[in-house]
Amino acid sequence: VTGVQTCALPISTLVHQTGEAARVEDYGGSSGAFADAGRGWGFGSAAGVPITVGGRLWGVVTVASAGTTAMPPDTEARLAAFTELVGTAIANAEGQAALAASRARLVAAADEARRRIERDLHDGAQQRLVTIALRLRAAQAAAAEGTDALVARLDEVADGLEAALE
């Protein structure tokens, strides 16, 4: 809506409604609360340009001239160049935040998977060692008399399994 001469709407509303740059050349003949505020602040004219991030309207940059000083005709183009940089910076910041959140989710998922694998390995190995130790003690108890050397060796192996369990 570039070239609007008088308007009761604020620049941000004009930009929001159109998604394009807007200009109010003269608040002097405008009516309404926003025009009154602009005159109260000493604005003669104002221009605004949308900040677009990822194809959506994110915000608006506005400038105003004091008194009756007219803004240069290329004001909107200069603001548009600036808002492109702002939009890129915002998109980068949002992208970095999304990447950091994604990394955090990946690290948390990897940590949980590692803990589950450790638990499974520990529990599975522990159960096998206990079972083997019990079988060794049963074999020891069933050993025939006169096999003291075999019983002693079985005792050493059972002690080693129990130490591994601890």
Side-chain angles (χ1 to χ4, degrees):
V1 185
T2 302
V4 173
Q5 294 300 313
T6 59
C7 186
L9 296 174
I11 289 295
S12 59
T13 300
L14 291 171
V15 171
H16 182 263
Q17 288 176 346
T18 64
E20 298 177 0
R23 180 186 284 236
V24 173
E25 287 291 344
D26 182 11
Y27 277 105
S30 299
S31 62
F34 295 109
D36 292 343
R39 280 192 300 278
W41 290 325
F43 295 165
S45 60
V49 176
I51 299 171
T52 305
V53 178
R56 62 181 167 80
L57 181 62
W58 189 88
V60 62
V61 171
T62 60
V63 294
S65 66
T68 58
T69 305
M71 287 187 291
D74 67 341
T75 300
E76 290 87 345
R78 292 167 62 190
L79 281 176
F82 175 71
T83 61
E84 281 184 41
L85 294 173
V86 172
T88 299
I90 293 167
N92 285 342
E94 288 177 349
Q96 287 177 347
L99 181 61
S102 176
R103 284 181 180 159
R105 285 189 304 273
L106 286 172
V107 167
D111 286 347
E112 177 56 33
R114 181 185 43 78
R115 281 190 295 274
R116 188 183 68 249
I117 291 168
E118 285 175 349
R119 190 173 46 248
D120 291 348
L121 287 174
H122 175 267
D123 292 348
Q126 186 175 28
Q127 287 175 349
R128 285 186 170 183
L129 289 173
V130 166
T131 301
I132 293 169
L134 289 173
R135 285 182 181 168
L136 271 172
R137 293 296 182 195
Q140 242 183 332
E145 290 200 26
T147 58
D148 294 341
L150 174 63
V151 170
R153 294 192 85 195
L154 290 174
D155 195 42
E156 287 176 17
V157 173
D159 288 346
L161 284 172
E162 289 170 3
L165 282 169
E166 288 177 21

